[in-house]
Amino acid sequence: MDFNVIMYIFFGIVSIAGGVILVGAKHPIRGAMGLLTTMLALAAMYAQLHAHTIAVFQVIIYAGAVMVLIVYFIMLLDIKSEDYAKPFSKFFWFGAPLLLFAVFYFIFKLSMVIKSDGAFFATLNPSLVSPNAPEAFGGIKIFSKELLTKYLFAFEFVSTLLFAAIVAVIAIVQLDWKGKSNE
Amino acid sequence: MESSLILLIIILPLIGAFLNGTVAATNAYRKKEIWGEKFAGILAFSAVGSSFLLSLYAVFVKMSGIDSLSFTPYEWLSVGGLQLNLSFVIDHLSAVMLLVVTGVSSVIHFYSIGYIHGDESSVRYFSYLNLFVFAMLLLILGDSMPVMFVGWEGVGLCSYLLIGFWYKEEEKAIAGKKAFIVNRIGDFGFLLGMFLIFANVGSLTISEVNEFFHHNNSMTFFWTNVAGICLFIGATGKSAQIPLYVWLPDAMAGPTPVSALIHAATMVTAGVYMLCRFHGLYLAAPVALNVVLWIGALTAIFSATIAIYQNDIKKVLAYSTVSQLGFMFMAAGAGAFVIAIFHLMTHAFFKACLFLGSGSVIHAMGGEQDIRFMGGLKKYMPTTYITFLLATLAIAGIPPFAGFFSKDEILWNVFASDHGSKIVWAIGAIAALCTAFYMFRLVYLTFFGKFRGTPEQEHHLHESPSTMTAPLIILGVLSLIGGWIGIPKLLSGGLIPNFFHHYLEPAVSKYGHVELHHYSHSVEYSLMILSVVIAVIGWFTASRLFREVKKELPDPARYSGIPKLLWNKYFVDEIYDKLIVNPIKFLATKVFLNISDKKLIDGAANGSARGWRQVSQVFSYLQTGNIQAYGIYIIFGAALAVALAFYIY
Amino acid sequence: MNNPFTDFIIGSGGIYTIAVVLLLFTLGGMTVLFRRTLLHMLMGVELMLNAVNLSFIYFSRLHQNHDGQILSLMIFVVAACEVAVGIAIIVHLFKRTGTISVETYTAERG
């Protein structure tokens, strides 16, 4: 079996393992580490799927910025309460098996459909599929060109979302300040 | 050019109403800094006056030689086969009405400047008055039934607003409401007639409706008559005929110029006008025409007898108006539409004059309206007296005053027409006798004898200002000469043509006219002399009884027998209360309010609310407030949907 | 002749990737639904977003089309905003009540 294929499967398993750690670990810092693992594994898969730019962003933004924020927050608050002692809510024991059963059943059904034809997704719309990716595909050059021409409006629009988020955070922080001054 | 002319005639009063109305609502007016009442009055008068001048121009210059001017500003609606335009037409019939309405309106607007002086909401008054003229013009010039109906409702609204103009006094507000409600009953009839005609004719344009009934009437005889009667019910509401006349005497609560303009000269004649507009329909519906004839005759005699015992100067005039309208309907019912319009015109002159004269008297008496406390005003207010007398001579039917020609022709047509009847002629003659009697009674009690009011009232007696007497003089002169345009051929020996007949003939006889029976000229002469004799008898009797009132006039409360019946207006209001108003009230409070409303509807509403509260109490256990629970509901909902999708495919 | 990895991507790799996506999504959903702290809910949402991203990238590769990649960039932005605002809210709530247990916040109980 090809090395690339093995690595792809391996990273998939690693990401799922990270997800399991996130669900199961008692202390949030361990969950955060599981999430970090998932993200890095996914970044590797992105790179294998010729999405080099997104893979880099995944590492920088997700694994870097977002996770650092979460981990920093966990350490900052340093909650040692009974919140962590009992990790699962009362719904877990009846909900989780049902959910997992549903998902596995879904995957099973899907594989039943696909069994007859391994290239199921490729055959859904063959005209769209081109087997060999050119070297430039997913690179920063062509990616940026697409982003700043075809998707310029979405790009600008999403920047206003970021701005709104900044305003929202400041508003919430001010709520704290006001609460302080009232007390 | 022609189109903008018609539009201007209609729209000028609306502009006046708008300007005065908006100012009346603003603060600037309340402070009286910018927009004084004089300015408002002059604005209103000039709006209507220029409308009158334009109408004169349109009728006498633009329409010389042609039958009609029409103008369609825009297409109102177009649904299926129904094509409805907002269109106006001036033919010879509406031209007469147009001139009467705008002319009398201008005179009365001018009079109002003096009359309403000093009232705190005079700007509002002028705004309403202008709006009324606008609505009336819509009614007159509208080419289709819906446009006419808009005007019809518009004048009803303005009538309501103006009767209740001094709304702070409760009885006046109630009188306004009464007028409005009674009118709505009539409007309902009008609407039904309109629906009936539309369902069968498929068009609402008046000329097409007339054409339909004249040429190819495919409606059955029965339904044609029903349509005619439905429209006539509308006319009884607007024109105060039995059984819907009760609102008009109460409508005298409004300012006197309003009574003169709306409740004597113009609005109340809308019913007569409408009948004449639809003469094609009515000539195809002889039963409906007969109903019109009889209702008109009964109303004429009924209200003429009531007027004999009334003591309120305006009430007498109000019942007189109802009676005269009855005469107009008699003429229409006999198929003599030209005469109906002729009497409408002369009546507009002399009745407006009488009302304005009574306004002048009331003004001088400081608000007193009871003629028992008047008398001898002749020497204090000569102009008012002379014009009042001219108008009285006209209404009583003394030649050569205007009323003689029109009333005599009505009686002659009722006597001689195919659709008329001798009995109705007799009723009309008696009503004419009563008319002469009560009108001269009014004149003698008001202007002759000694003054019977308080000394301070006597001290205040004065002639009204010239803004009020000038219109009186104009209308008084018109009451004298207004009838001369319609002198019967018989009387002038064919030397002077009957201008009025000649003018109206193309518009009103377009769809056939009613033939008169052939009588010898001596019959016509003798009837004419008889009607003069009748008027003179009424005059003479009144003169004997009331010229010099020696003893005090009896208190109406001590009347008995027939006077009591008449003083109480045949107890019609009481009968209506007992028969209609009280049962409806009973039904409303006892049945609908207590049983169906409180028990059934409220019960159903409250009960269902209670039921749902109990049901939702069960479901509220699902609303734990825990966000994760909600998430689980969503997930399972989605899972269920996916499972269902699997199950189906 | 394609290289073996391309064959895998076009062939049976599809179902494998989708299985990974579904599992990650479910695990994220379980974190959101069954863990008792607000913090875990936030991280669970992150995991779900990441799972969706993977499917976008996969199909972008399959169809040689950048749309999926750009959409996943947009999701990055949304996720970053969500984390920033979410953490601010959680900090605020923790300061006010001293706990980040979800079961505490039941203001809209019916």
Side-chain angles (χ1 to χ4, degrees), chain B residues 437-641:
Chain B
F437 178 74
Y438 67 72
M439 280 317 297
F440 280 105
R441 169 178 176 265
L442 189 64
V443 170
Y444 286 129
L445 284 179
T446 310
F447 292 102
F448 286 80
K450 282 214 308 283
F451 187 71
R452 296 183 294 276
T454 58
E456 62 215 89
Q457 272 176 335
E458 189 168 11
H459 182 69
H460 275 292
L461 285 175
H462 59 88
E463 182 58 282
S464 301
S466 56
T467 51
M468 286 165 77
T469 50
L472 281 175
I473 293 165
I474 293 171
L475 288 170
V477 170
L478 279 174
S479 325
L480 174 61
I481 64 170
W484 295 354
I485 58 167
I487 295 173
K489 200 185 273 173
L490 183 72
L491 213 58
S492 63
L495 284 177
I496 311 166
N498 193 333
F499 293 114
F500 199 77
H501 269 249
H502 190 69
Y503 187 75
L504 269 185
E505 206 68 4
V508 177
S509 300
K510 201 171 173 184
Y511 306 104
H513 62 200
V514 176
E515 287 296 326
L516 299 183
H517 288 298
H518 277 288
Y519 289 97
S520 63
H521 283 190
S522 58
V523 178
E524 202 175 341
Y525 272 124
S526 53
L527 282 182
M528 198 177 282
I529 291 164
L530 186 63
S531 63
V532 177
V533 168
I534 281 171
V536 173
I537 289 173
W539 183 2
F540 183 70
T541 324
S543 155
R544 283 296 298 274
L545 286 172
F546 299 108
R547 188 178 187 110
E548 292 292 330
V549 181
K550 294 286 189 305
K551 57 182 192 303
E552 205 163 292
L553 285 159
D555 183 7
R558 281 188 279 123
Y559 283 151
S560 64
I562 291 173
K564 186 176 178 186
L565 188 67
L566 292 178
W567 162 251
N568 285 303
K569 306 145 197 167
Y570 294 106
F571 296 99
V572 168
D573 277 331
E574 286 76 5
I575 292 168
Y576 278 7
D577 272 354
K578 283 267 173 354
L579 283 184
I580 298 169
V581 178
N582 285 349
I584 288 176
K585 271 188 186 164
F586 177 82
L587 213 64
T589 54
K590 292 289 178 327
V591 179
F592 288 118
L593 178 67
N594 283 343
I595 296 175
S596 73
D597 217 54
K598 281 191 180 162
K599 296 243 166 63
L600 271 172
I601 295 174
D602 288 8
N606 293 339
S608 66
R610 214 173 296 128
W612 282 113
R613 185 179 298 158
Q614 272 155 10
V615 171
S616 55
Q617 208 122 47
V618 175
F619 281 106
S620 81
Y621 289 115
L622 288 176
Q623 301 282 329
T624 57
N626 187 339
I627 191 165
Q628 290 180 325
Y630 297 146
I632 286 164
Y633 303 153
I634 292 170
I635 288 284
F636 278 100
L640 215 64

Side-chain angles (χ1 to χ4, degrees), chain A residues 92-115:
Chain A
F92 180 78
W93 301 112
F94 105 97
L98 220 58
L99 217 53
L100 284 174
F101 168 75
V103 144
F104 278 116
Y105 182 74
F106 189 70
I107 294 170
F108 170 71
K109 274 280 184 186
L110 211 57
S111 63
M112 283 286 112
V113 176
I114 290 166
K115 210 175 205 174

Side-chain angles (χ1 to χ4, degrees), chain A residues 26-34 70-72 74-75, chain C residues 40 43:
Chain A
K26 263 192 181 176
H27 200 277
I29 201 81
R30 285 185 197 153
M33 287 306 134
I70 290 176
V71 170
Y72 178 71
I74 293 168
M75 295 195 306
Chain C
H40 274 95
M43 290 198 284

Side-chain angles (χ1 to χ4, degrees), chain B residues 31 43 81 88 109 112 119 160 262 324 385 426 453 458 613:
Chain B
K31 289 181 189 161
L43 180 82
F88 305 106
H109 273 73
S112 296
D119 193 281
Y160 160 74
I262 299 183
Q324 296 300 311
Y385 162 66
E458 189 168 11
R613 185 179 298 158

Side-chain angles (χ1 to χ4, degrees), chain B residues 216-427:
Chain B
N216 47 347
N217 186 359
S218 55
M219 253 166 116
T220 60
F221 183 76
F222 174 74
W223 285 112
T224 309
N225 282 302
V226 170
I229 290 170
C230 281
L231 287 183
F232 179 60
I233 289 171
T236 58
K238 194 67 51 189
S239 294
Q241 298 296 294
I242 290 174
L244 298 178
Y245 74 94
V246 287
W247 66 272
L248 188 58
D250 287 9
M252 297 302 135
T256 306
V258 170
S259 309
L261 176 60
I262 299 183
H263 305 122
T266 56
M267 185 191 87
V268 288
T269 60
V272 182
Y273 172 72
M274 191 264 286
L275 249 62
C276 297
R277 286 290 272 186
F278 287 101
H279 64 276
L281 161 63
Y282 277 98
L283 287 176
V287 178
L289 213 54
N290 219 18
V291 170
V292 173
L293 177 73
W294 276 95
I295 293 281
L298 289 178
T299 311
I301 184 79
F302 194 74
S303 48
T305 48
I306 293 174
I308 292 172
Y309 272 93
Q310 296 304 308
N311 284 337
D312 185 321
I313 184 167
K314 285 180 74 180
K315 281 271 164 70
V316 176
L317 292 176
Y319 279 106
S320 153
T321 305
V322 176
S323 167
Q324 296 300 311
L325 288 166
F327 272 101
M328 292 175 212
F329 278 107
M330 270 162 71
F337 297 105
V338 178
I339 316 299
I341 294 291
F342 187 33
H343 193 59
L344 186 159
M345 187 190 76
T346 55
H347 174 256
F349 296 148
F350 57 66
K351 191 48 67 67
C353 182
L354 286 172
F355 264 112
L356 295 187
S358 78
S360 176
V361 167
I362 294 164
H363 198 72
M365 294 288 294
E368 177 63 64
Q369 298 192 5
D370 197 327
I371 48 177
R372 283 176 299 156
F373 306 116
M374 295 177 186
L377 299 183
K378 187 167 62 164
K379 64 172 180 285
Y380 300 104
M381 345 180 43
T383 317
T384 308
Y385 162 66
I386 289 168
T387 52
F388 203 92
L389 187 66
L390 286 176
T392 306
L393 289 166
I395 193 175
I398 311 285
F401 292 89
F404 165 73
F405 298 106
S406 52
K407 195 182 283 183
D408 177 62
E409 275 210 85
I410 289 175
L411 290 175
W412 166 241
N413 273 281
V414 170
F415 185 83
S417 162
D418 270 347
H419 290 275
S421 109
K422 305 287 184 292
I423 306 169
V424 172
W425 174 82
I427 293 173

